[in-house]
Amino acid sequence: MSPVTSSPTKAGRCWYARPFLPVSHHATEKSPYYPPSKFGQDSSDDNNGGKSKVFPVGTTDTFSKSLSWTLLLARIFGLLPVSAKTQATVTSFLAIFGTAGMTLLGLHWCFLNFTVFRATKVVFYGSATLSCVLLHRLGKAWPRLSNVWRHAEVSTKHLGYRPHTTLICRTFTALYCLVAVVEHAFAIINAIVNVYECSARNVFRRFFSRWFPQLLTVLPYTPALTPLVLMLNTLATFTFSFLDLLIFNLAFCLSSMFWAFNRQLVEASKQTISRPRWSDWYRDYNVLRRLVTIVDNHISPIVLLSFIINVYHICLQLYLSLTPLPTLASKAYFCLSFGFLMSRTITVCLASASIHDLAKQPKFVIFSVPSEEFDEEVERFQFQVCNDSVAISAMRFFILTRTTLVTVIGLAATYEVVMFQIQTMAEEETDMKRLSAHNLTTDVCE
């Protein structure tokens, strides 16, 4: 089917003019995609001084602009494509094989004597390796995903995005990176301060042995290894932190499109002169629904890995909080690290859950359709909105809703209570043993 371009309006301004995309099988030459009177446009231009009542179309907010800063960070670390034609880069191979090597060294070190601390090193670099692999896989599919999103933007150009979508995404990216850099710097400072308080001699050697003990099992310490290993550690820290940033920006862009759809649907349903054509709204909703499905197919493994990493680190931080922190630097780092971890988990949950919430909002407008306007298209639209789960998922294990956030918080709280009870029982048992030993000593002396 050849593309069809709509003709200009009477006033000479075609606000809805755009090519019909092959993704929509409803578009034909006999039935234009959208008539000039849609979305509250008054058909009587003469009565309005030649001006049509149309909704403004946002052209400043697009998918490529909203994610430009996020993709720039990914290009710097070689995680996502550096051009339209994705190719593997030296940085991406360094990230994958470097973190994989640290993971294997951690496994070897963990098998020698298994402890929670040693297992943490394995999980840290293992999750970073898996994150690099998934991001590299997404990078290879990114040109196709961008093309599908661009087609959806053209098909729903009359809807646009939520106001200031690009500004919000870029601001969040800048703040996120700033907090991540500060948090990582605090981690290094905290480790150096703790080592320095023990002894002022060989600070960097003992810092290296504390942060990267798995490497010392196969290689002796040399100052030349420090920059390389620090770079791998920074890359691993950034990689699985970047997952939350990418998920938030993608989810926020999708929710912004649904927000604009709901806003114009409500405004159009209030019109008395020109009522909305429900078949057109049904097509728009299907375009957005298909876009969410395609995006979810690409990022669902990343979402699942992100939640596993975040829940693991939340439980680990709560476990470490049961023991008193030795220095003020340790307390400051714990507050910053745990606050950053919880805030990004909550932000990702809320941004992703908003897609599910906004995709359900059209049912309130559909349920108020008068009986004389209720037809087959409205019934199909109503059935799809009420029964389809339009949401981001974690490889279909669960979808991200507000209930997911409550579940994560409840899991963390339950884990903290259980660990506190176990620690309390252990301390009581230790006190009882000490008291028994003291009483036995007293009886012997008497």
Side-chain angles (χ1 to χ4, degrees), residues 65-105:
K65 291 181 180 179
S66 299
L67 268 76
S68 58
W69 289 11
T70 305
L71 295 181
L72 178 61
L73 290 173
R75 294 189 190 102
I76 293 174
F77 288 89
L79 301 175
L80 282 177
V82 294
S83 62
K85 186 176 180 180
T86 306
Q87 295 179 354
T89 60
V90 176
T91 310
S92 62
F93 281 118
L94 176 64
I96 295 174
F97 292 106
T99 54
M102 296 294 287
T103 305
L104 294 177
L105 290 175

Side-chain angles (χ1 to χ4, degrees), residues 278 360 362-370 374 378 382-383 386:
W278 294 106
K360 293 295 183 181
K363 66 182 180 181
F364 299 106
V365 178
I366 301 173
F367 285 149
S368 62
V369 174
F374 196 89
V378 178
Q382 183 184 74
F383 180 82
C386 295

Side-chain angles (χ1 to χ4, degrees), residues 18-21 149-158:
R18 48 171 171 57
F20 294 104
L21 298 175
W149 200 309
R150 184 166 57 251
H151 282 193
E153 285 180 332
V154 174
S155 297
T156 59
K157 187 177 181 180
H158 52 280

Side-chain angles (χ1 to χ4, degrees), residues 251 254 258 285 288-297 299-300 303 349 351-360 388-396 398-402 404:
L254 289 173
F258 274 102
Y285 186 84
L288 299 181
R289 181 185 60 82
R290 286 195 296 267
L291 178 61
V292 173
T293 303
I294 294 173
V295 173
D296 178 63
N297 290 335
I299 70 171
S300 58
V303 173
C349 284
S352 303
S354 62
I355 298 176
H356 180 266
D357 296 339
L358 292 172
K360 293 295 183 181
D388 280 1
S389 294
V390 183
I392 300 296
S393 68
M395 294 189 70
R396 306 297 191 275
F398 59 90
I399 62 174
L400 271 62
T401 62
R402 294 181 183 271
T404 308

